[in-house]
Amino acid sequence: MKTDIEIAQLNKMSHIKDVATKLDIKEDELEFYGKYKAKLSDELMDRVKDNPDGKLVLVTAINPTPAGEGKTTTTVGLGQALGKKGIKSVIALREPSLGPCFGIKGGAAGGGYAQVVPMEDLNLHFTGDFHAITSANNLLAAMLDNHIQQGNVLGIDPRQVKWKRCLDMNDRVLRNTVVGLGAKADGMVREDHFVITVASEIMAVLCLADDLADLKKRLGRMIVAYTFDGKPVTADDLSATGAMAALLKDAIKPNLIQTLEDTPAIVHGGPFANIAHGCNSVRATKMALKLADVVVTEAGFGADLGAEKFFDIKSRAAGLNPECVVLVATVRALKYNGGVAKEDLSNPNLEALKKGIVNLEKHIENLSKYNVPIVVTLNAFVSDTDEEISYVENFCKERGCEFALSEVWEKGGEGGLALAEKVMDTLENKTSNFAPLYDVNLSIKEKIETIAKEIYGADGVTYSAAVNREIGKIEQLGLDKVPVCMAKTQYSLSDDPKKLGRPEGFTIEVREVYLSAGAGFVVAINGSIMTMPGLPKVPAANNIDVDENGKIVGLF
């Protein structure tokens, strides 16, 4: 079997203007980045804004394991399968971050014969959106420190600077730094911090903004620091909003590429779901809904993170109405949750499957709370036995879920036809009564505890004294009536990555809380999760190279 990158490089791509015609997009409504990538213009959105919305399908998954679940692969394969059935469809995805690409997870273009291409471009620099976000973020940081250096008219307390610099790379040594060392002219010495670009508030702002005007409003109200007397200082106060918007004026436009089977794919924005809100941009999703009859989108990591945030943050903010949710699982991952070591997952083990399937069960229960019809799909591996597949199918049907086997990794769209049938049947014959899990008017702690208890299955939540003080400050400012974005490990329903399956008898530890006033949510950091990841002992970067013909190798 060829590697993902070999399959992608052997594929003959269509010119992006020809892919665009499948969505009735005119050539002069595209802003080309070479032959195979394009930005979708503001003129296009203006033209289609009154079109009826298509049907929105969310793809999510059980908790990820080292075995891999294939959520993006399934999303792409489902889009290809819908295309094979003659349905006007589009895929709406996030852009990959360089951090996991060079770290441990790899890229995010799908896999096998269910990929979006050009795969190398997407996984590396793409159209420069992340560079623009990084630049805007660090411009604000530079203007903040410059204001303090140049007389500090606003009275900013250097001990209460909240804005962090960012970099789209896993670099643990930058988590905590000291800036301003050297001479007096080099700035005030203070402690500083970095986050990975996909955890930056500007990433969230870009992904939640409706248009350029909304982007500027959100950028302007971002809180960067507090004064000596405790008043918030915003980007508007620093006169930084216009310059940041100038850096982001092209980045706010969604990107159009294609799958291996020429299915249109709108790829835009890329917040991580474990440390951010985990969804592609509102602009991309809304544009997709105006262009196609069925839109297939995904949310990052497991349903306890990505799907929860898709429903409670993105859909709430954008007024979206998801009409079907596809929950991806694998026999291998369920056996891993049942205690089987990674190297033994290819061996038949029905008992371990029965033990680990409680993870899938909890995710089904969680998704049911949002009143959206569920289709469970089993991403097939050659090592799966008929007995194991039948057990999972019966388990799902007993819980009122539709079920389909997916073979898109091996067969592309052809391998997703059974799943496409179930999805279309659900869209045509079942009703979604989507509603968020909680009321934003609840207190911050009530919202945190609702998510922890209802979605994670926790007994309760613990808060440090510092967290209690920060919550009090947010409430005093009157900025607490917003959703909560939980930053938590993706590997477990709990905040302990070692607790697999369906943990019970645990509490969630909230060790940091801060307000993302521009994004419009409160972030609660749980357990040991980091907003600046580190590289593994043997990073994927070790195996990435460019051969003598200029072809990238080792990227996956």
Side-chain angles (χ1 to χ4, degrees):
M1 182 68 185
K2 297 180 179 68
T3 64
D4 289 348
I5 193 170
E6 287 171 341
I7 293 170
Q9 289 174 341
L10 289 170
N11 177 67
K12 183 173 175 57
M13 290 181 282
S14 299
H15 197 289
I16 197 63
K17 65 181 175 61
D18 297 324
V19 176
T21 61
K22 296 186 176 184
L23 298 175
D24 302 319
I25 299 172
K26 303 169 186 176
E27 187 172 342
D28 63 0
E29 292 172 327
L30 299 172
E31 298 175 7
F32 294 103
Y33 283 64
K35 297 178 182 178
Y36 309 115
K37 300 172 290 183
K39 287 277 185 185
L40 299 176
S41 68
D42 292 334
E43 291 79 11
L44 171 63
M45 192 62 191
D46 287 340
R47 179 173 68 82
V48 302
K49 64 184 179 183
D50 294 326
N51 287 1
D53 284 343
K55 304 282 190 178
L56 182 58
V57 178
L58 172 68
V59 179
T60 185
I62 62 173
N63 290 101
T65 72
E69 284 60 62
K71 176 164 51 62
T72 304
T73 302
T74 302
T75 304
V76 175
L78 173 57
Q80 292 180 158
L82 290 168
K84 280 188 172 294
K85 289 175 62 64
I87 295 164
K88 189 179 182 182
S89 60
V90 65
I91 300 161
L93 300 173
R94 293 172 299 156
E95 301 174 49
S97 163
L98 293 177
C101 189
F102 291 114
I104 192 169
K105 181 176 178 287
Y113 289 92
Q115 296 188 60
V116 285
V117 286
M119 180 259 220
E120 306 98 314
D121 291 10
L122 176 64
N123 280 318
L124 298 178
H125 302 292
F126 200 32
T127 58
D129 293 344
F130 284 18
H131 297 292
I133 291 166
T134 301
S135 298
N137 182 98
N138 294 341
L139 170 64
L140 180 56
M143 292 181 71
L144 170 62
D145 279 312
N146 184 62
H147 182 90
I148 295 172
Q149 173 73 5
Q150 303 289 356
N152 198 6
V153 174
L154 293 171
I156 295 169
D157 184 349
R159 300 163 300 179
Q160 288 293 309
V161 171
K162 300 299 180 182
W163 194 253
K164 299 176 181 180
R165 288 169 162 82
C166 74
L167 183 74
D168 191 35
M169 195 64 64
N170 293 356
D171 196 349
R172 62 171 57 83
V173 301
L174 293 178
R175 289 172 186 161
N176 305 292
T177 64
V178 176
V179 296
L181 294 174
K184 183 179 180 180
D186 296 323
M188 178 171 287
V189 177
R190 67 174 184 85
E191 183 179 354
D192 201 4
H193 311 272
F194 276 76
V195 298
I196 192 166
T197 296
V198 287
S200 163
E201 184 176 356
I202 293 184
M203 175 65 80
V205 163
L206 184 91
C207 287
L208 291 169
D210 281 325
D211 51 32
L212 187 59
D214 187 35
L215 176 72
K216 292 178 72 173
K217 288 178 184 176
R218 289 173 177 272
L219 290 172
R221 67 177 186 241
M222 296 188 305
I223 295 173
V224 298
Y226 290 89
T227 63
F228 284 106
D229 55 1
K231 295 180 180 177
V233 178
T234 66
D236 268 350
D237 293 330
L238 291 170
S239 300
T241 303
M244 287 190 292
L247 288 170
L248 297 169
K249 73 175 184 66
D250 292 320
I252 195 175
K253 299 173 184 177
N255 308 292
L256 180 68
I257 54 174
Q258 64 193 284
T259 74
L260 294 175
E261 298 178 9
D262 293 351
T263 306
I266 299 177
V267 185
H268 193 221
F272 281 175
N274 57 347
I275 54 179
H277 79 280
C279 304
N280 73 321
S281 77
V282 166
R283 278 175 64 88
T285 302
K286 284 188 171 181
M287 186 174 283
L289 287 167
K290 296 297 182 183
L291 293 169
D293 295 328
V294 178
V295 176
V296 183
T297 191
E298 68 162 352
F301 291 126
D304 56 319
L305 287 169
E308 185 272 315
K309 295 169 185 178
F310 178 88
F311 291 138
D312 288 319
I313 296 176
K314 178 179 176 177
S315 294
R316 189 198 308 260
L320 299 176
N321 182 39
E323 298 189 55
C324 174
V325 57
V326 175
L327 178 57
V328 181
T330 66
V331 166
R332 291 160 58 87
L334 295 173
K335 289 190 290 191
Y336 185 85
N337 272 280
V340 175
K342 181 181 178 182
E343 57 270 20
D344 297 325
L345 291 174
S346 295
N347 300 327
N349 193 330
L350 189 60
E351 290 308 309
L353 175 63
K354 291 178 179 179
K355 183 180 177 183
I357 205 166
V358 292
N359 187 265
L360 173 61
E361 180 181 45
K362 176 58 175 164
H363 287 294
I364 291 173
E365 291 176 10
N366 287 348
L367 293 171
S368 298
K369 297 176 191 290
Y370 294 95
N371 300 312
V372 180
I374 303 165
V375 177
V376 176
T377 186
L378 202 58
N379 187 23
F381 283 75
V382 293
S383 58
D384 300 346
T385 68
D386 291 342
E387 187 180 24
E388 289 170 332
I389 293 170
S390 294
Y391 179 79
V392 177
E393 180 176 2
N394 292 331
F395 184 91
C396 295
K397 289 180 175 179
E398 288 169 1
R399 282 150 186 81
C401 297
E402 295 291 340
F403 175 87
L405 190 66
S406 171
E407 299 176 288
V408 298
W409 182 84
E410 180 185 3
K411 300 177 182 178
E414 189 71 27
L417 289 175
L419 174 59
E421 290 279 357
K422 292 292 184 182
V423 167
M424 291 309 299
D425 182 66
T426 299
L427 293 175
E428 291 165 3
N429 298 304
K430 293 189 178 181
T431 302
S432 170
N433 296 302
F434 166 70
L437 182 69
Y438 56 82
D439 186 337
V440 292
N441 292 312
L442 295 173
S443 71
I444 291 174
K445 285 189 175 181
E446 286 174 322
K447 287 176 283 199
I448 289 173
E449 287 162 18
T450 297
I451 297 169
K453 292 177 180 179
E454 293 288 324
I455 302 299
Y456 307 156
D459 291 340
V461 181
T462 61
Y463 307 88
S464 68
V467 167
N468 284 327
R469 286 194 297 272
E470 191 63 28
I471 289 175
K473 181 186 290 187
I474 295 168
E475 290 173 341
Q476 284 179 351
L477 292 171
L479 299 174
D480 56 318
K481 305 306 180 187
V482 293
V484 171
C485 181
M486 300 283 271
K488 179 186 75 70
T489 179
Q490 64 269 34
Y491 298 113
S492 172
L493 286 160
S494 74
D495 58 5
D496 181 351
K498 296 179 181 178
K499 291 181 178 177
L500 303 179
R502 183 175 183 166
E504 295 179 343
F506 67 93
T507 57
I508 293 290
E509 175 202 9
V510 179
R511 62 177 179 82
E512 184 180 351
V513 165
Y514 57 87
L515 175 65
S516 289
F521 52 66
V522 170
V523 179
I525 296 181
N526 306 293
S528 59
I529 196 72
M530 295 290 180
T531 53
M532 169 54 85
L535 291 170
K537 187 173 183 179
V538 182
N542 287 13
N543 300 312
I544 297 172
D545 201 352
V546 182
D547 68 16
E548 62 275 12
N549 298 313
K551 180 183 288 187
I552 294 172
V553 295
L555 186 63
F556 64 95

